[in-house]
Amino acid sequence: MNKKADVLVIGGGVIGTSIAYYLAKQKKKVILVERYDHAAGASGSCDQMIIMQSKNPGVHLQYALASAEMYKTLSQELDYDIGYHKEGGMILIETSEEMEVMEDFVARQKEIGLQVEILTRKEAAKHQRGLAEHLVGATYSPQDAHIDPMKLNLGFAYAAKKLGVEILLNTEVTGIIQQGNKVTGVETNQGTILAPLVINAAGAWAPLIGQMVGLELPIKPRRGQIAVSEPVAPYVKGDVLSARYIVAKYNPDILEKSDDRAVQLGVGLALSQTEKGNILIGATREFVGYDLGNTREGIKEVLKNATRLVPGLKKMNFIRVMSGVRPYTPDGLPLVGFVKGLEGFFMAAGHEGDGLALAPVTGKMVADIIEEGKTFMDVSAIDPNRFNL
Amino acid sequence: MKKTQTAIIGAGPAGLAAAIEVAKAGGKVTLIDENGRPGGQLFKQIHKFFGSREHRAGTRGFNIGQQLLKETEDLGVEVLLDSPVYGLFPDNIISYLHQGKEQGLQAEKIIIATGATENPLAFPGITLPGVMGAGAAQTMINVNRVLPGKKILMIGSGNVGLIVSYQLMQAGAEVVALIEGAPQIGGYGVHAAKIRRAGVPIYVSHTVKKVIGSNEVEGAEIVALDNKWQMIPGTEQVLDVDTVCIAVGLTPLTELAWMMGCEFTFVPTLGGHVPKHNRDMQTTLSDVYIAGDISGVEEASTAMEEGRLAGIACSESLGLYSPEKAAELKRDVWNRMDTLRTGSFGEKRRDAKESLIKQSIGGLA
C-alpha cells in the first residue's frame, strides 16, 4: 500500500475522528489510521459525561462551553444520533473544607458564563434521590449533558467518510518519515502513507508516536476503572460527581498526605445512567502504565465510594467492569498545535478525562488552525510548545 | 483475604476430578461453585456413559457425580457452594459472592473449569414462556422432577437434542418432532435410533420459522431449508406444541479466562474461542490451568480426564510430585483420553485439540 494525503491523522478515537471530520469539511484530503478500531482506547472505556462544572474556570471552561454549544446540534450535523441528553449535573460536597474550595470554584465559573449554583443538601436531594445524609451540599448546573461515546466516535467517523476521509483500521504506525526537520509521512504495518502534515491524536498512546520523532511528550496514561450496574429504571439524573474528584484533579497535593487507599487510587465519584438504564459508576485515577486491567481493590474502592455518597445504589447489582487509560498532562490541559522545530507535525492529544467534552471544539480548532493559521479561541494555553519537548 | 494453594472454579466433572488429583497429591484445594450442590451437569445425566471400564462406561452420570463427591469429601477438599465467581484479578485474586457479600480468595494456582453455555437461536416468538434451552428442560425433569410441557418441539439433533428428547419421553412428554438445520443428524446414531423407534419424526434440513402464542407457546411453524440454508416458501407446517427446546450446541464459558488475560484461539470444532493450552492444560499464564468444556466442548468423560491432567500438572508445578512421577501419571491419563477420542466424532475433536495444543505450546513444550 502506498498512499498520499494532505493530512494524516493518527488515532481513530473521538479526537482523531473529530479532527478528520472538520478537516474534511475544509476540503482537505485526509487519511486517518487507527491501530485497532474506533472506540478501542479511552473512547470506548469511559463514562459519557460532557460536564462543564468540572472544568477549571479559565480557558479550559471556555473550550468546554464552546464544545457544549456545538453538541446541541451535532447529531443533526453528523446525521447520526450520538445520544445527546442535557439533564444537568451536580457535584456532591462532603465537608466544609470542600465547600470552601467549591464556593470559590463556582464563583469563578460564573464569571466565565457558566450557569451554576450551590445547593443545600435538602435542595440537592430534590434533584437526585438516594443521597447520603452526611453531605453538606452540592453544586448544580443545568448545562451538563451526556452522550454515548461510542456513537459519538462512530458519528464523526461516518460523517468524515461521507466527506471523503479514508479511514484505515487495523493500521499501526510503525515510524514517521522525516526529511531533515520536516515530517513527510508515516510508515505503517500496511505500508507507507505520504502526507506533508501528520497529526498525533493517539490519546494516551501519543507519547509513543512522539518518541518516533524524538519528542518527550509530557502525556502519561492514567487508568480509570469503572463499574457498570444492571439496567434499572431511571435513577441517576444527569451527571453526578463528587467534590473530591475536582480536588483530586486540580489540587493533587491536598490528597498526597492522605493514607486512605481510595484517595491514593484517585477515587472520585462519577455517576451517570445510560439510555438502556445501566449506571456507570466511576472511577479511579491511577498511574500504572498501559495496564488496561481491572483490580479487585480498585473496583471495591470505587463501589465503596459510590455507595458512601449515594447509599441508594446499594440495592443494585453491578454486572460488569471496564477500565481505560486517559492521556494525563501535568497542567490538566491538552497539547494542541504545531510542534516548533518539526515542520508538519501537529499535536492533538492529552485531554485526560475531558476527551468527550472537548472533542468537537478540538476538531474545529485544529481544522481552523491548519486551514487559516488561526481559530476563534485563544489557543496559547494549549500550545504544545509550552512544555519542553 | 482468604488464601489457598489451588483454587478450582467450577465443581462439575472436570473441577471435581482436578480437585481429587491435587488433594491426592497432598495439596490444599478450594473448590468454588455457584450452585447449591456440586456436580455440574452430572446430576441431570441419568443415561449410561460410553467408553471403556476405566471411563466408568455403563455407569449413569449422576452415579459418577456421587462417587466424585464422596472422594472429594474423603480427601478433605474445601468446597464453597452458592459462590459465583465474578472476577479474576492480577496476583491470582478470585472475587466471588457469598450470601450477598463480596469475598476475596488468593491462590497460588487456579484451575478454571467453568464448562460451557447453551447457544441461543433467534426466531420470532423466542421470548414466549415455553421456549427454553434443552439443558434447562433436562434440569427440570431430571433434577427438579418437573415436566416443562406435554408436547415438545426439539431443535437440534446433536447428542444433547437426542438424549434430552428421549428423557422427556421417559418423563411422560410427547416429542412431536425433532428438527435439524443440517442435512444430516448431528449426534450418535444409537441415540437417534432410540427416539426414531419411539416414533418421533426427525426432520433434517428444517428450521423453526416462528413460535406462535400470545402468552405462552401454542404452536410452532417449521420450514424446510434448501442446500444454501434458505427457507423454502410453501414448505411451512404448523406443529401443535406447548414447549420448544433449543439444542443447537454449546459455547465454552470463557469470560474468567479472558479477564485473567489468557491468550485465546478460535476453533469452531471445539465451540468457538478457547484459551490456548499445552498438554498439561496450562494456559499462556503459568499459574492458570483449564479443564473440561472451557477448553473445547466435549463430553463429561473427557472433561474428567482433562481435570485429572490439570490436577496432576498443577501438583507437579507446586512440587507435590516429582517430574518422573507426574510424567507417569499424565501418560496414563493421555492414554485413556486418546481411547475416548476415537470414532468419527472423537477423532475430529482429537485433531482439533492436537492442532490447538501444537499452536499454543510455543515455549511451553
Side-chain angles (χ1 to χ4, degrees), chain B residues 8 13-27 29 31 56 64-65 67-73 75 77 307-308 311-312 315 321:
Chain B
I8 300 174
L16 285 168
I20 290 166
E21 286 304 324
V22 180
K24 268 206 288 200
V29 188
L31 184 58
R56 311 188 198 191
I64 296 176
Q67 285 166 25
L68 292 174
L69 286 192
K70 186 166 182 317
E71 274 184 74
T72 50
E73 223 165 84
L75 288 162
V77 171
R308 288 189 188 102
I312 294 163
S315 305
Y321 281 134

Side-chain angles (χ1 to χ4, degrees), chain A residues 270-344:
Chain A
L271 275 186
S272 64
Q273 191 165 6
T274 67
E275 266 178 59
K276 286 181 182 163
N278 307 84
I279 299 175
L280 303 176
I281 309 165
T284 59
R285 303 165 86 83
E286 313 156 78
F287 291 111
V288 288
Y290 291 101
D291 182 346
L292 293 170
N294 283 99
T295 62
R296 174 174 179 258
E297 186 190 33
I299 288 300
K300 235 181 148 165
E301 293 297 345
V302 164
L303 292 174
K304 245 165 60 182
N305 181 57
T307 50
R308 188 174 60 81
L309 292 162
V310 189
L313 296 171
K314 277 186 186 168
K315 55 179 192 273
M316 292 162 200
N317 294 305
F318 84 94
I319 56 169
R320 209 154 64 76
V321 295
M322 59 178 174
S323 83
V325 286
R326 331 279 173 226
Y328 157 93
T329 63
D331 60 4
L333 288 171
L335 284 74
V336 179
F338 284 103
V339 173
K340 275 198 188 118
L342 189 60
E343 202 184 315

Side-chain angles (χ1 to χ4, degrees), chain B residues 87-139:
Chain B
L88 292 184
F89 295 104
D91 304 319
N92 297 347
I93 294 174
I94 297 164
S95 234
Y96 63 97
L97 275 181
H98 186 64
Q99 295 179 343
K101 281 229 181 289
E102 193 270 349
Q103 314 276 337
L105 172 68
Q106 192 169 25
E108 287 173 49
K109 304 283 172 190
I110 297 176
I111 301 175
I112 311 177
T114 40
T117 182
E118 294 193 273
N119 292 339
L121 186 71
F123 48 79
I126 188 172
T127 55
L128 282 172
V131 180
M132 65 186 74
Q138 196 185 27
T139 304

Side-chain angles (χ1 to χ4, degrees), chain B residues 326-347:
Chain B
E328 184 193 322
L329 292 169
K330 285 189 279 189
R331 198 167 46 239
D332 289 346
V333 179
W334 269 108
N335 286 339
R336 291 198 298 268
M337 199 124 71
D338 285 339
T339 23
L340 279 174
R341 288 176 181 152
T342 50
S344 61
F345 292 101
E347 267 161 26

Side-chain angles (χ1 to χ4, degrees), chain B residues 7-217:
Chain B
I8 300 174
I9 304 164
L16 285 168
I20 290 166
E21 286 304 324
V22 180
K24 268 206 288 200
K28 178 175 162 35
V29 188
T30 305
L31 184 58
I32 318 173
D33 197 282
E34 64 181 332
N35 295 298
R37 65 186 292 197
Q41 309 303 311
L42 280 173
F43 285 98
K44 62 191 204 191
Q45 299 189 344
I46 57 171
H47 57 282
K48 290 177 181 171
F49 276 35
F50 286 169
S52 62
R53 184 178 308 224
E54 296 106 78
H55 306 121
R56 311 188 198 191
T59 312
R60 295 180 192 278
F62 68 96
N63 287 327
I64 296 176
Q66 278 160 349
Q67 285 166 25
L68 292 174
L69 286 192
K70 186 166 182 317
E71 274 184 74
T72 50
E73 223 165 84
D74 293 347
L75 288 162
V77 171
E78 178 187 25
V79 187
L80 305 176
L81 297 171
D82 291 314
S83 302
V85 172
Y86 70 86
L88 292 184
F89 295 104
D91 304 319
N92 297 347
I93 294 174
I94 297 164
S95 234
Y96 63 97
L97 275 181
H98 186 64
Q99 295 179 343
K101 281 229 181 289
E102 193 270 349
Q103 314 276 337
L105 172 68
Q106 192 169 25
E108 287 173 49
K109 304 283 172 190
I110 297 176
I111 301 175
I112 311 177
T114 40
T117 182
E118 294 193 273
N119 292 339
L121 186 71
F123 48 79
I126 188 172
T127 55
L128 282 172
V131 180
M132 65 186 74
Q138 196 185 27
T139 304
M140 286 169 84
I141 49 174
N142 295 351
V143 178
N144 301 309
R145 314 237 168 178
V146 175
L147 201 57
K150 293 209 166 81
K151 292 170 288 180
I152 317 276
L153 168 65
M154 179 66 68
I155 305 171
S157 70
N159 282 329
V160 173
L162 297 172
I163 290 171
V164 174
S165 291
Y166 189 71
Q167 292 176 353
L168 280 162
M169 287 190 281
Q170 287 179 309
E174 177 200 352
V175 178
V176 176
L178 188 151
I179 60 172
E180 166 61 53
Q184 70 283 324
I185 289 167
Y188 291 133
V190 50
H191 292 317
K194 244 177 167 178
I195 65 166
R196 262 208 173 122
R197 279 201 302 275
V200 176
I202 299 179
Y203 298 96
V204 292
S205 292
H206 271 73
T207 191
V208 60
K209 193 170 175 188
K210 64 178 177 202
V211 170
I212 305 151
S214 42
N215 294 314
E216 56 188 338
V217 175

Side-chain angles (χ1 to χ4, degrees), chain A residues 175-178 183 208-216 342 345:
Chain A
I176 311 278
I177 308 167
Q178 281 173 270
V183 167
L208 306 181
I209 299 295
Q211 278 169 14
M212 295 176 184
V213 285
L215 294 179
E216 282 285 331
L342 189 60
F345 194 76

